[in-house]
Amino acid sequence: MRVLIIEDDPAIAANLYDFLEAQGHSVDAASDGITGLHLAVTGGFDAIVLDVGLPGMSGGVLCRKLREEAKNDTPVLILTARDTLEDKLEGFARGADDYLVKPFELKEVEARLAALHKRRAGRVARRPLTAGDITFDPHTLSVRFRGVGVTRLSPKCLRLLETLMAEPDRVFSRKELETAVWGDEQETSDTLRSHMHVLRRALAHAGGYDPIENVHGVGYRLVPHEKT
């Protein structure tokens, strides 16, 4: 997962950062609400760990802005010392997905983040996706590009496309795509490369251009509008 930690306590932030990174996650951090909101909106994270008492902007305000103004549905796990029912209800009302009271176990933080990420992935998988000229219905497994059906795509190719379409224009690393499709990182890059080749060829055949860009040394992104 790509996890954003928004926490102003250096010791807590460092413990979370080091633990999650050691578990194989990609982690970024912010120590104030304003920076945290900017990263949350622009960073393409899978989950956010959010403290309530932040300088610059409180965690509650940040969460509300993330939901209502940015229309961002990244799962948010609130970490706070405030443990009353009223505090929890206020956090949920502002858009938080889960709530964990300090002190906490690092393994529980990871487990809750993983559960939120899976839940979000399930929501994305159940709804039809549209990205520019491309539509994908996961129920019927039908893909249309500029109104033309894209045929003969394997389940792995469809999962690749679904992952890219969930966040158009975002650059996905090879590791992220391999984990999304196969469940773990592949020993060689040939598996991803071959499936990506088939997907790009099929899309180009239907729509007249290849909407997937190879970002050298990083990974791939979907650019769903033809460049002029």
Side-chain angles (χ1 to χ4, degrees), residues 153-162 181-183 191 195 199:
L153 290 178
S154 70
K156 300 297 186 186
C157 286
L158 289 170
R159 181 61 184 141
L160 270 178
L161 179 61
E162 181 181 15
V181 176
W182 288 275
T191 302
H195 282 80
L199 174 60

Side-chain angles (χ1 to χ4, degrees), residues 30 34 43 53 110 169 183 187 206:
I34 295 173
E110 184 191 23
D169 295 309
E187 293 183 1

Side-chain angles (χ1 to χ4, degrees), residues 159-193:
R159 181 61 184 141
L160 270 178
L161 179 61
E162 181 181 15
T163 301
L164 292 168
M165 286 184 68
E167 296 183 71
D169 295 309
R170 177 192 156 189
V171 178
F172 286 84
S173 70
R174 289 176 173 82
K175 180 179 179 180
E176 286 179 300
L177 291 172
E178 288 168 352
T179 300
V181 176
W182 288 275
D184 53 20
E185 191 173 1
Q186 301 297 290
E187 293 183 1
T188 70
S189 60
D190 290 341
T191 302
L192 175 62
R193 187 183 300 116

Side-chain angles (χ1 to χ4, degrees), residues 50-157:
L50 177 64
D51 183 29
V52 173
L54 294 168
M57 179 189 300
S58 72
V61 173
L62 187 158
C63 196
R64 179 182 60 77
K65 287 180 174 290
L66 187 69
R67 300 302 191 221
E68 296 179 4
E69 297 179 15
K71 307 301 182 184
N72 186 300
D73 68 346
T74 303
V76 173
L77 170 63
I78 285 184
L79 296 181
T80 180
R82 303 175 186 177
D83 60 354
T84 68
L85 177 59
E86 289 74 17
D87 289 326
K88 294 178 181 180
L89 291 176
E90 181 180 358
F92 289 128
R94 294 192 178 215
D97 297 275
D98 201 357
Y99 203 105
L100 194 56
V101 177
K102 300 174 182 176
F104 51 82
E105 294 291 335
L106 293 170
K107 289 183 178 180
E108 184 176 2
V109 173
E110 184 191 23
R112 287 177 181 250
L113 290 174
L116 291 174
H117 178 48
K118 287 181 180 179
R119 196 178 307 157
R120 183 198 190 200
R123 291 200 305 267
V124 171
R126 286 193 295 270
R127 71 169 185 252
L129 296 175
T130 299
D133 299 322
I134 308 170
T135 60
F136 171 55
D137 186 336
H139 295 289
T140 62
L141 300 182
S142 63
V143 178
R144 301 190 71 82
F145 188 15
R146 286 183 159 180
V148 179
V150 182
T151 59
R152 298 182 180 179
L153 290 178
S154 70
K156 300 297 186 186
C157 286

